[in-house]
């Protein structure tokens, strides 16, 4: 089962997270202090990033040398008893139809409509120009754009305003951008879109012949293929639901615990990972590190360290809570468990050579990730999960335990 906490190994993901938060001005955890910029890391040039060792500071069991998370974290007595709700994963008929329609449009010719007006579910090819106060705005115009009506791609009223219109029609749509629109310059403003419909088309209906064509004869009938799509969507929803449940469990465990302080060594370690990531990128572009930060992140080195310290503390808080749980439960990793998890981590990161993967990241780093995974599993096994209707649900951990015991 794929776990969410392999971030100690996934340096690229950590760097991408840092960039997105820096660029978006992500809100730091409330526990981040105003002295964030006074990290012992200092300037990013103070260490040899090219020879960065992922396992520095970790013992062979994956715990931090000389650091107990429980010295910094206070867990509630019932820390493992977390209640979460589970949403319904049964695919709707509309979702199944949409998935099949998308596939049909890829694998077979679409039907061009000439004898009727555009309807919900049709794909219209349009030219459009958007203007606010009679002035066209950047990104508000396009030609020969394919838009599926009912897809929710455009703001409310745009797609509905084209239903019932025919090829060659030009219509002015008087709309309003949502208050929470991504562009603050347009949020809440009235807009007029002048739209011309060039063509109307629709994916063909699923037949036995098309089902066989799309599935390479694996499914001979439209009904069989429809059932396959429904099952596939349900499995995808279940996987997404499970990952969300794990995220929710960790977030709630962190919320219920108290992080009293942060070990400076752990802050410096994660800052070094992020900085190492960006310095390697600067090298790839043949740029000085400071210039790379200025151009790509829009920060000086000092500003970057300050922002990343806040971001690191936010993620570090959850890691420390998980480590505190592992310490409380006395989690130890067997050789068999290590090999099993290392193989899974390697596969998740696209590596087929497990030994090389272990050599690259170090056994201690992999052990540290396993400890966090084990803590998440403790939360999952003890969680109170309720269905949408309020009834108790069977957790994934319970299902796996029952399967393993058969």
């Amino acid at each position: 089962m794929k776990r969410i906490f392999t971030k100690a190994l996934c340096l690229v993901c950590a760097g991408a997270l840092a960039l997105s938060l820096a660029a978006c001005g992500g809100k730091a955890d409330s526990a981040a202090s105003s002295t964030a910029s006074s990290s012992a890391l200092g300037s990013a040039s103070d260490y040899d990033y090219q020879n960065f060792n992922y396992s520095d500071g970790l013992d062979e069991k994956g715990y931090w040398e000389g650091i107990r998370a429980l010295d910094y974290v206070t867990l509630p007595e019932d820390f493992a008893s977390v209640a979460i709700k589970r949403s319904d994963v049964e695919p709707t008929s509309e979702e199944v139809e949409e998935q099949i329609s998308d596939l049909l449009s890829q694998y077979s010719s679409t039907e061009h409509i000439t004898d009727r007006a555009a309807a919900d579910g049709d794909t219209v090819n349009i030219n459009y120009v958007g203007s606010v106060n009679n002035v066209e705005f950047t990104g508000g115009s396009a030609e020969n754009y394919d838009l599926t009506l009912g897809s929710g791609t455009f703001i409310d009223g745009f797609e509905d305003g084209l239903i019932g219109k025919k090829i060659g029609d030009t219509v002015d749509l008087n709309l309003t951008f949502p208050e929470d629109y991504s562009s603050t310059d347009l949020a809440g403003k009235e807009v007029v879109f002048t739209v011309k419909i060039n063509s109307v088309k629709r994916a063909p209906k699923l037949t036995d012949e098309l089902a066989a064509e799309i599935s390479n004869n694996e499914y001979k009938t439209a009904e069989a293929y429809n059932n396959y799509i429904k099952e596939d969507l349900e499995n995808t929803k279940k996987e997404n639901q499970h990952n969300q449940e794990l995220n929710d469990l960790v977030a709630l465990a962190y919320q219920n615990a108290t992080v009293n302080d942060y070990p400076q060594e752990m802050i410096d370690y994660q800052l070094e990972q992020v900085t190492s990531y960006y310095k390697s990128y600067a090298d790839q572009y043949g740029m000085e590190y400071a210039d790379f930060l200025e151009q790509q992140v829009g920060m000086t080195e000092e500003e970057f360290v300050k922002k990343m310290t806040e971001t690191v503390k936010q993620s570090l808080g959850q890691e420390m809570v998980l480590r505190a749980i592992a310490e409380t439960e006395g989690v130890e990793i067997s050789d068999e468990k290590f090999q099993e998890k290392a193989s899974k981590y390697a596969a998740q990161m696209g590596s087929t050579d497990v030994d090389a993967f272990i050599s690259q990241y170090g056994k201690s780093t992999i052990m540290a990730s396993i400890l966090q995974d084990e803590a998440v599993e403790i939360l999952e096994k003890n969680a109170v999960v309720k269905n949408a209707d309020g009834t108790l649900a069977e957790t994934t951990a319970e299902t796996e335990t029952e399967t393993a015991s058969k």
Side-chain angles (χ1 to χ4, degrees):
M1 177 173 56
K2 187 175 180 180
R3 289 298 185 190
I4 56 173
F5 273 92
T6 56
K7 65 179 180 182
L9 306 179
C10 194
L11 185 58
V12 172
C13 292
L17 171 64
L19 177 59
S20 65
L21 287 177
C24 298
K27 184 178 180 181
D29 187 278
S30 59
S33 70
S34 59
T35 59
S37 60
S38 62
S39 166
L41 177 65
S43 170
S45 60
D46 287 346
Y47 65 92
D48 183 4
Y49 73 96
Q50 290 179 322
N51 295 314
F52 175 70
N53 186 341
Y54 293 93
S55 293
D56 277 351
L58 297 170
D59 65 23
E60 61 180 11
K61 294 183 178 181
Y63 288 100
W64 282 92
E65 294 179 344
I67 298 175
R68 287 179 71 251
L70 286 171
D71 291 338
Y72 297 86
V73 176
T74 303
L75 296 174
E77 290 185 9
D78 58 346
F79 68 86
S81 182
V82 181
I84 57 174
K85 287 187 177 180
R86 174 173 292 173
S87 58
D88 187 13
V89 296
E90 180 74 19
T92 65
S93 58
E94 290 79 9
E95 289 174 323
V96 175
E97 289 174 6
E98 182 181 355
Q99 179 80 0
I100 291 175
S101 178
D102 289 344
L103 289 167
L104 287 174
S105 65
Q106 296 175 32
Y107 287 92
S108 59
S109 59
T110 55
E111 174 189 0
H112 284 268
I113 308 299
T114 58
D115 58 350
R116 64 168 175 78
D120 188 42
D122 289 343
T123 297
V124 292
N125 181 275
I126 58 175
N127 300 339
Y128 65 90
V129 177
S131 58
V132 175
N133 295 325
N134 296 317
V135 178
E136 296 181 21
F137 58 90
T138 304
S141 305
E143 292 188 353
N144 297 314
Y145 183 89
D146 282 337
L147 172 65
T148 300
L149 302 182
S151 64
T153 304
F154 281 32
I155 64 173
D156 287 349
F158 191 104
E159 295 167 29
D160 289 343
L162 301 182
I163 293 176
K165 303 300 184 289
K166 296 182 179 180
I167 296 173
D169 285 352
T170 298
V171 59
D172 286 336
L173 303 175
N174 295 283
L175 308 173
T176 303
F177 282 104
E179 293 293 341
D180 60 351
Y181 192 65
S182 57
S183 171
T184 55
D185 292 337
L186 298 173
K189 290 188 176 179
E190 294 182 353
V191 58
V192 177
F193 284 102
T194 300
V195 186
K196 180 183 178 182
I197 298 181
N198 302 318
S199 65
V200 181
K201 57 187 177 181
R202 193 178 189 91
K205 291 184 178 180
L206 182 66
T207 63
D208 293 345
E209 292 75 15
L210 282 175
E213 177 187 344
I214 293 174
S215 66
N216 292 322
N217 290 315
E218 185 175 353
Y219 300 98
K220 306 294 186 183
T221 67
E223 181 181 6
Y225 189 75
N226 187 86
N227 291 336
Y228 155 71
I229 291 296
K230 182 177 180 180
E231 182 180 351
D232 185 62
L233 281 173
E234 185 171 359
N235 289 336
T236 299
K237 279 191 165 187
K238 283 182 178 179
E239 181 178 0
N240 292 339
Q241 178 192 69
H242 182 224
N243 288 334
Q244 185 59 53
E245 286 177 2
L246 296 183
N247 279 308
D248 290 346
L249 285 171
V250 174
L252 286 169
Y254 172 60
Q255 179 181 318
N256 294 338
T258 301
V259 180
N260 303 301
D261 200 0
Y262 300 85
Q264 191 62 51
E265 298 92 330
M266 294 179 71
I267 294 175
D268 292 344
Y269 173 84
Q270 293 200 12
L271 282 172
E272 287 178 4
Q273 287 196 45
V274 175
T275 307
S276 175
Y277 170 81
Y278 282 105
K279 278 208 162 188
S280 65
Y281 247 104
D283 279 353
Q284 290 179 34
Y285 284 96
M287 298 175 64
E288 293 295 326
Y289 177 61
D291 294 337
F292 181 83
L293 289 180
E294 288 278 3
Q295 293 183 27
Q296 301 298 323
V297 186
M299 296 183 185
T300 64
E301 288 188 58
E302 182 179 357
E303 291 170 339
F304 182 73
V305 170
K306 180 177 180 180
K307 170 60 70 175
M308 287 306 98
T309 301
E310 295 171 352
T311 303
V312 162
K313 283 187 176 182
Q314 185 174 5
S315 62
L316 184 57
Q318 291 190 348
E319 178 185 341
M320 289 175 63
V321 169
L322 292 177
R323 287 182 173 277
I325 292 173
E327 290 173 6
T328 300
E329 297 296 306
V331 174
E332 293 188 0
I333 311 302
S334 66
D335 291 340
E336 293 76 15
K337 173 69 73 172
F338 174 82
Q339 288 298 327
E340 174 193 340
K341 287 285 191 177
S343 297
K344 287 186 177 181
Y345 293 162
Q348 287 171 15
M349 296 184 69
S351 175
T352 56
D353 190 334
V354 179
D355 290 337
F357 177 80
I358 295 173
S359 177
Q360 178 182 358
Y361 290 100
K363 182 176 180 179
S364 295
T365 302
I366 297 171
M367 286 289 247
S369 283
I370 298 174
L371 284 174
Q372 293 182 66
D373 277 351
E374 293 293 294
V376 173
E377 190 166 310
I378 290 169
L379 292 173
E380 186 180 15
K381 286 180 177 179
N382 292 278
V384 178
V385 183
K386 292 186 178 182
N387 294 313
D389 61 4
T391 59
L392 289 176
E394 184 178 52
T395 66
T396 303
E398 290 172 340
T399 303
E400 291 178 343
T401 300
E402 290 178 4
T403 302
S405 64
K406 291 180 180 179

